[in-house]
């Protein structure tokens, strides 16, 4: 049993440092243009919901396979590819959703706040994930990731699109618009 644990940890380390990254980035690069078209045709919030649901399902399946001790490297590569493909749809939708839901005068602040949140997660996420995996194991770490994707799928459901939106900047106040 100890040899199996050592082998599994090395396999997961190899996967995360090489194949997992390539497996996720390949589909993302290949599908990014398609994701942009889909984000332009349908509501960005709706595309974000579905991308997060797909990733939550893939991560939950990977966690279950880890808990059942039946995971193989190819399972994790496929999970990474599925999440990479979903990211190809999520990224353009997330870029455009600010225009859909935030009035013109507040867009600069909304974009700044969005980028602060994204960069905080990019820096802090791997550290928190590493601590979680070390503390409770890789199955629970991936399960937590699935939970966060599911929660992220729920958030855009409450987003309301601005009716009659024009891509031109709106006036700062309704009073100015009447003049």
């Amino acid at each position: 049993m100890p040899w199996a644990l050592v082998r599994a940890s090395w396999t997961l380390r190899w996967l995360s440092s090489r194949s997992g990254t390539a497996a996720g980035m390949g589909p993302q690069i290949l599908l990014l243009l398609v994701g942009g078209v889909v984000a332009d045709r349908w509501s960005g919030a709706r595309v974000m919901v579905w991308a997060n649901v797909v990733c939550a399902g893939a991560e939950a399946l990977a966690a279950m396979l880890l808990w059942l001790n039946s995971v193989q490297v190819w399972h994790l590569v496929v999970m990474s590819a599925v999440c990479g493909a979903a990211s190809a749809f999520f990224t353009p939708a997330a870029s455009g959703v600010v225009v859909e839901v935030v009035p013109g005068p507040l867009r600069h602040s909304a974009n700044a706040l969005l980028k602060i949140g994204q960069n905080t997660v990019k820096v802090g996420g791997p550290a928190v994930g590493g601590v979680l995996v070390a503390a409770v194991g890789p199955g629970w770490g991936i399960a937590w990731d699935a939970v966060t994707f599911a929660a992220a799928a729920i958030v855009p459901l409450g987003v309301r699109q601005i009716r009659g939106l024009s891509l031109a900047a709106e006036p700062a106040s309704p009073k100015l618009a009447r003049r």
Side-chain angles (χ1 to χ4, degrees):
M1 185 62 140
W3 174 247
L5 291 174
V6 169
R7 184 169 180 246
S9 68
W10 277 102
T11 300
L12 289 173
R13 182 172 177 227
W14 173 83
L15 177 70
S16 65
S17 66
R18 290 174 183 79
S19 179
T21 303
M25 289 301 291
Q28 185 175 9
I29 291 168
L30 290 173
L31 293 172
L32 198 57
L33 290 175
V34 175
V37 169
V38 169
D40 284 343
R41 302 255 188 263
W42 288 282
S43 162
R46 181 173 293 156
V47 173
M48 291 168 60
V49 167
W50 282 109
N52 282 321
V53 166
V54 167
C55 279
E59 299 267 350
L61 182 60
M64 187 171 46
L65 290 171
L66 280 164
W67 289 329
L68 296 173
N69 289 326
S70 61
V71 69
Q72 296 179 10
V73 173
W74 73 268
H75 295 134
L76 299 175
V77 170
V78 168
M79 182 269 306
S80 182
V82 167
C83 286
S87 179
F89 291 86
F90 181 91
T91 302
S95 297
V97 81
V98 172
V99 174
E100 290 180 11
V101 300
V102 179
L106 301 175
R107 285 189 193 137
H108 181 72
S109 297
N111 278 321
L113 188 59
L114 179 65
K115 292 300 178 188
I116 288 171
Q118 288 173 341
N119 290 325
T120 300
V121 169
K122 282 182 185 176
V123 172
V128 172
V131 169
L132 186 61
V133 167
V136 295
W140 288 104
I142 291 179
W144 176 251
D145 203 23
V147 168
T148 61
F149 275 116
I154 294 169
V155 171
L157 294 175
V159 173
R160 300 284 182 248
Q161 188 172 357
I162 299 172
R163 302 274 182 234
L165 177 68
S166 166
L167 292 179
E170 290 90 13
S173 76
K175 291 180 183 176
L176 292 176
R178 286 185 241 156
R179 290 183 187 182

